[in-house]
């Protein structure tokens, strides 16, 4: 029998390990002095790395050196102390070694029989999490790859617990600040676009419980079944926390599953102020947690906790003959029966090892310190006349922007701030990313890394405040951005008989940049409709997605008994529900619109507007800005 060509002796393994460890220690020790982000084109990377596999083995030390030179520099260093974009993620060395142990031991943590030790370790870690969020003893959970997998697992679990096979009548409710993973999960679990209710948020970007009640009532009246509410414990854009206690009350009264996406913020419960802000987390039927965020675990590890733990196994367990085994004593836990994976790595080792090494108080201190750094950043922004705060600090996130010069149009200020973010990414010394707040571009500062300090935050703010315009190429204002100057022309009658010309369409503020060809194609998708006084064009909570341009007449826009807008010739409506929120899910109608006098409109399918927005960035920005402004008035 021949020699095993993949076997290494102890001396060779130790030498290889030393090469890897030395390289990683050097990398981590010098991280602060290097760039936060180093980008490269596809062509550049192919020149470095595209090649056929070798017939014979290569020198390991040279391979590690090559990784260090050609691969590892070209990443976003999420663990860099000046990485303030997206969701940062600085792991710890003990946790990284935990991943090494799990990989080198080649553990399959799917079944108890093959992984009793790692399985019990995972149960221990899950018990810690259970106690931290205030769940009862019968709660159960599973470690997964991240928040996206946890959210998908939660929806699948809830559906099996409450519904069984997929039904076209069930409805999920989520705020417009909900993470995109919910849309992805719902799409792949078979939910149609009309089965996700996207609810507008309040002025603090939180779900409104009364809107939730009203939306459920509207669905029940149409024969639909309210099924699941996704509440947020720290949104990605602003760190907002939904009113969890009030939402749980609505869900209990109506027999609806309450899931809390706490992937970003839920571990703040380890601190005193976090527990206060997250009151009601313990009332949820399921909670998503992400140890690779505030618990400083290396990517990837997420967690789903379910209050009634038995429902998790009932949702996923299968027992084919080739996996049957006799059990004695206390019931064993096969984690393959709690989620989608059969073969699964042990993620518990790194979590257990890091928490045991440092102690819970160390992680509690890190969470408090990063929240304090964000509050201090807010004070600095408010004191700096070059900057303006957009949303205040919440769970380590705030948004801000560079002020424009006097009289500068909003679109120009947006492009200026966008150029600042791009210039900083190119420079590489600090990374900030962006979001859109009520239709306006905002720079987002997220402080999560245990490596970040006060000097790093000050550096980031000063870079935004001091970057010269000549370094950003901000550009000029969008043509036609000043809508007020055109209102007179619109109101004097821009409709000629039963047709609208491209020139007339361009008198509508959001369409001023259209070419004749673009306008003609868009107008070709429209149809004319007429409404009598008192007739509704749209009803609040309706799922229709038509976009309208008002040709003639007057319209009243109402939310309940309150008029929130009045529209005349040249105005448009329906842009909120026409916009794709994600994976073809969208808002329902956010208001009831009624004709006050004989009225004519041009009606366009939502797809036609979205196609136009995709082709013409100026239209996309204008529509989204107006939609966000109108959402704020609801």
């Amino acid at each position: 029998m021949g020699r095993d060509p993949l076997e290494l002796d102890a001396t060779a393994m130790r030498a290889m390990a030393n090469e890897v460890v030395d390289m990683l220690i050097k990398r981590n020790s010098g991280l602060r002095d290097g760039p936060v982000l180093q980008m490269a084109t596809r062509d550049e990377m192919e020149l470095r790395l595209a090649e056929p596999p070798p017939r014979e083995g290569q020198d390991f030390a040279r391979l590690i050196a090559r990784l260090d030179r050609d691969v590892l520099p070209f990443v976003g260093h999420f663990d860099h102390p000046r990485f303030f974009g997206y969701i940062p993620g600085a792991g710890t060395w003990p946790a990284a070694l935990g991943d090494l142990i799990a990989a080198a031991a080649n553990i399959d943590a799917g079944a108890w029989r093959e992984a009793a030790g790692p399985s019990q370790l995972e149960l221990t870690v899950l018990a810690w999490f259970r106690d931290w969020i205030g769940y009862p003893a019968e709660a159960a959970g599973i470690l997964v790859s991240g928040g996206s997998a946890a959210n998908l697992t939660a929806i699948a679990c809830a559906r099996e617990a409450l519904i069984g096979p997929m039904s076209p009548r069930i409805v999920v409710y989520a705020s417009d600040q909900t993470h995109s993973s919910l849309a992805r999960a719902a799409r792949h679990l078979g939910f149609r676009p009309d089965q996700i209710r996207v609810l507008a948020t309040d002025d603090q970007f939180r779900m409104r419980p009364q809107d939730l009640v009203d939306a459920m009532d509207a669905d029940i009246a149409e024969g639909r079944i309210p099924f699941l509410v996704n509440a947020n414990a720290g949104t990605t854009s602003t760190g907002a926390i939904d009113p969890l206690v009030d939402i749980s009350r609505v869900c209990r009264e109506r027999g609806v599953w309450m899931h809390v996406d706490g992937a970003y913020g839920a571990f703040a419960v380890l601190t005193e102020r976090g527990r206060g802000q997250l009151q009601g987390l313990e009332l949820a039927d399921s909670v998503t947690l992400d140890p690779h965020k505030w618990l400083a675990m290396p990517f990837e590890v997420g967690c789903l906790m379910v209050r009634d733990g038995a429902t998790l196994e009932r949702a996923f367990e299968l027992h084919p003959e080739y996996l049957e085994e006799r059990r004695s004593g206390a019931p064993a836990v096969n984690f393959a029966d709690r989620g989608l994976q059969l073969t699964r790595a042990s993620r518990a080792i790194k979590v257990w090892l890091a928490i045991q090494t440092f102690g819970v108080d160390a992680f509690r201190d890190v969470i408090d310190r990063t929240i304090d750094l964000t509050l201090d950043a807010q004070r600095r922004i408010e004191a700096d006349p070059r900057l303006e705060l957009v949303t205040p600090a919440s769970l380590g996130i705030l948004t801000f922007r560079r002020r424009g010069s006097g009289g500068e149009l909003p679109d120009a200020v947006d492009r200026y701030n966008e150029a600042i973010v791009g210039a900083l990414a190119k420079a590489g010394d600090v990374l900030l990313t962006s979001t859109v707040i009520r239709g306006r571009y905002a720079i987002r500062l997220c402080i999560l890394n245990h490596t970040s300090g006060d000097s790093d935050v000050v550096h980031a703010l000063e870079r935004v405040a001091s970057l010269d315009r000549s370094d950003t190429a901000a550009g000029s204002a969008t043509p036609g951005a000043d809508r007020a100057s055109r209102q007179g022309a619109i109101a004097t009658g821009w409709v000629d008989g039963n047709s609208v010309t491209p020139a007339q369409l361009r008198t509508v503020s959001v369409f001023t940049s259209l070419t004749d060809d673009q306008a003609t194609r868009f107008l070709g998708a429209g149809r004319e409709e007429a409404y009598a006084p008192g007739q509704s064009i749209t009803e609040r909570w309706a799922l229709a997605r038509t976009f309208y341009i008002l040709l003639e007449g007057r319209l009243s826009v109402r939310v309940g008994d309150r008029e929130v807008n009045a529209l005349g010739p040249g105005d448009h409506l329906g842009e909120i529900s026409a916009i794709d929120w994600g994976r073809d899910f969208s808002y329902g109608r956010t208001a009831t619109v009624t004709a006050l006098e004989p009225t004519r409109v041009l009606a366009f399918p939502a797809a036609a507007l979205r196609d136009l927005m995709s082709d013409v960035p100026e239209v996309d920005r204008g529509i989204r800005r107006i939609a966000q402004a109108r959402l704020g008035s609801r």
Side-chain angles (χ1 to χ4, degrees):
M1 191 170 181
R3 181 183 68 87
D4 178 1
L6 303 181
E7 185 180 15
L8 295 170
D9 61 29
T11 300
M13 287 191 286
R14 188 170 292 108
M16 288 180 172
N18 287 339
E19 290 285 350
V20 172
V21 168
D22 288 346
M23 182 270 288
L24 290 174
I25 290 175
K26 181 181 178 181
R27 172 207 178 268
N28 290 0
S29 299
L31 195 63
R32 174 178 287 278
D33 300 324
V36 182
L37 172 68
Q38 187 170 342
M39 296 182 288
T41 66
R42 174 75 178 269
D43 289 340
E44 290 170 337
M45 295 314 299
E46 284 187 346
L47 284 174
R48 290 174 179 266
L49 296 168
E51 60 194 5
R55 289 282 306 274
E56 297 180 348
Q58 309 295 300
D59 180 73
F60 187 78
R62 290 184 179 180
L63 295 175
I64 295 302
R66 190 175 175 199
L67 283 174
D68 195 29
R69 181 186 69 244
D70 293 336
V71 177
L72 297 180
F74 300 101
V75 299
H77 295 286
F78 279 72
D79 47 352
H80 195 289
R82 292 190 298 279
F83 192 109
F84 298 120
Y86 308 113
I87 304 294
T92 65
W93 189 246
L97 295 178
D99 263 344
L100 172 62
I101 293 167
N106 201 28
I107 297 165
D108 177 0
W112 182 273
R113 183 171 59 181
E114 289 80 26
S119 295
Q120 181 55 56
L121 205 63
E122 186 161 347
L123 290 173
T124 298
V125 167
L126 292 168
W128 294 345
F129 294 174
R130 178 197 67 205
D131 294 343
W132 292 348
I133 66 174
Y135 260 12
E138 61 269 20
I142 184 172
L143 297 181
V144 294
S145 60
S148 295
N151 285 340
L152 186 149
T153 306
I155 298 172
C157 174
R159 189 175 67 187
E160 289 299 310
L162 298 185
I163 305 298
M166 184 63 187
S167 166
R169 296 171 59 202
I170 63 176
V171 183
V172 172
Y173 303 82
S175 86
D176 56 15
Q177 300 299 302
T178 295
H179 192 270
S180 60
S181 62
L182 180 96
R184 184 178 293 112
R187 174 72 170 267
H188 289 290
L189 287 169
F191 287 81
R192 300 190 315 258
D194 62 350
Q195 290 182 268
I196 303 292
R197 281 283 193 185
V198 183
L199 305 179
T201 48
D202 65 14
D203 56 2
Q204 296 180 58
F205 304 96
R206 303 174 306 178
M207 182 183 288
R208 297 181 178 100
Q210 188 57 52
D211 281 3
L212 181 60
V213 169
D214 293 344
M216 287 183 180
D217 286 346
D219 284 326
I220 292 170
E222 293 294 327
R224 303 185 186 96
I225 303 172
F227 153 61
L228 180 144
V229 174
N230 183 95
N232 294 304
T235 58
T236 301
S237 277
T238 65
I241 303 168
D242 287 330
L244 303 179
V245 173
D246 292 339
I247 292 172
S248 71
R249 186 178 303 116
V250 173
C251 291
R252 283 199 308 273
E253 290 171 352
R254 293 161 183 264
V256 174
W257 187 284
M258 178 185 175
H259 174 65
V260 173
D261 184 352
Y264 176 75
F267 278 121
V269 294
L270 285 171
T271 70
E272 183 176 351
R273 58 182 153 186
R275 282 193 300 276
Q277 291 177 282
L278 294 166
Q279 186 178 8
L281 183 66
E282 72 283 357
L283 302 175
D285 293 294
S286 56
V287 177
T288 287
L289 304 161
D290 246 0
H292 65 213
K293 293 188 173 71
W294 247 333
L295 283 193
M297 300 298 157
F299 302 138
E300 54 190 37
V301 55
C303 176
L304 174 67
M305 296 299 303
V306 180
R307 166 179 277 277
D308 179 1
T311 63
L312 186 58
E313 292 206 6
R314 284 200 298 269
F316 291 99
E317 63 180 347
L318 289 170
H319 298 292
E321 292 82 356
Y322 54 84
L323 292 179
E324 285 291 342
E325 59 184 87
R326 295 184 180 276
R327 302 176 182 177
S328 60
V333 173
N334 294 321
F335 279 100
D337 291 338
R338 293 188 178 186
L340 299 172
Q341 289 181 270
L342 180 57
T343 302
R344 55 191 297 275
S346 176
R347 300 181 176 96
I349 292 176
K350 63 182 173 186
V351 180
W352 179 87
L353 194 57
I355 292 174
Q356 291 282 7
T357 299
F358 295 109
V360 176
D361 284 350
F363 294 93
R364 186 174 287 120
D365 289 346
V366 165
I367 295 170
D368 263 331
R369 184 163 58 85
T370 55
I371 292 175
D372 286 338
L373 284 172
T374 316
L375 291 169
D376 186 61
Q378 176 176 331
R379 288 188 287 268
R380 292 179 184 277
I381 291 167
E382 291 173 326
D384 192 327
R386 299 168 295 179
L387 304 174
E388 62 175 322
L389 186 73
V390 179
T391 59
S394 178
L395 294 182
I397 296 176
L398 62 76
T399 64
F400 71 111
R401 55 195 266 134
R402 181 80 174 266
R403 292 185 186 275
S405 57
E408 191 170 13
L409 291 175
D411 278 354
V413 180
D414 282 354
R415 291 197 302 279
Y416 179 30
N417 279 273
E418 185 176 6
I420 288 172
V421 170
L424 292 178
K426 186 175 181 180
D429 62 312
V430 64
L431 186 74
L432 295 161
T433 50
S434 65
T435 188
V436 175
I437 304 295
R438 299 296 184 225
R440 295 262 68 96
Y441 187 94
I443 300 172
R444 183 175 161 280
L445 178 76
C446 181
I447 305 174
L448 197 79
N449 284 346
H450 61 88
T451 60
S452 299
D454 184 68
S455 62
D456 300 304
V457 177
V458 171
H459 176 80
L461 297 181
E462 184 57 30
R463 289 284 278 134
V464 173
S466 63
L467 201 63
D468 190 85
R469 280 181 180 265
S470 63
D471 296 327
T472 64
S476 57
T478 301
D482 184 5
R483 180 184 179 187
S485 66
R486 294 176 175 78
Q487 289 288 11
I490 292 173
T492 56
W494 59 294
V495 182
D496 182 13
N498 292 326
S499 65
V500 177
T501 68
Q504 291 164 339
L505 181 62
R506 282 192 290 269
T507 64
V508 180
S509 63
V510 293
F511 299 129
T512 54
S513 62
L514 295 184
T515 65
D516 282 354
D517 183 57
Q518 290 166 338
T520 299
R521 287 203 311 270
F522 181 60
L523 288 169
R527 67 179 185 277
E528 188 172 319
E529 297 178 355
Y531 293 87
Q535 189 175 1
S536 293
I537 296 178
T538 67
E539 294 281 351
R540 194 181 189 205
W541 307 122
L543 294 169
R545 301 179 67 176
T546 308
F547 172 74
Y548 300 95
I549 297 176
L550 181 55
L551 302 178
E552 182 180 280
R554 291 188 305 118
L555 300 174
S556 175
V557 182
R558 307 187 72 85
V559 175
D561 296 330
R562 179 170 57 96
E563 184 174 70
V564 297
N565 204 357
L567 303 178
D571 283 325
H572 50 82
L573 63 144
E575 64 286 315
I576 293 174
S577 61
I579 292 174
D580 181 29
W581 178 75
R583 307 301 300 176
D584 207 35
F585 300 116
S586 180
Y587 294 92
R589 296 298 192 192
T590 60
T592 297
V593 180
T594 306
L596 298 176
E597 57 187 48
T599 295
R600 289 191 302 132
V601 299
L602 274 180
F604 297 86
L609 178 63
R610 293 201 303 274
D611 287 345
L612 184 65
M613 292 167 66
S614 177
D615 292 341
V616 187
E618 294 87 347
V619 173
D620 184 83
R621 286 195 295 268
I623 288 289
R624 291 184 187 279
R625 185 177 65 249
I626 291 171
Q628 290 292 330
R630 288 179 172 176
L631 282 169
S633 70
R634 302 293 194 258

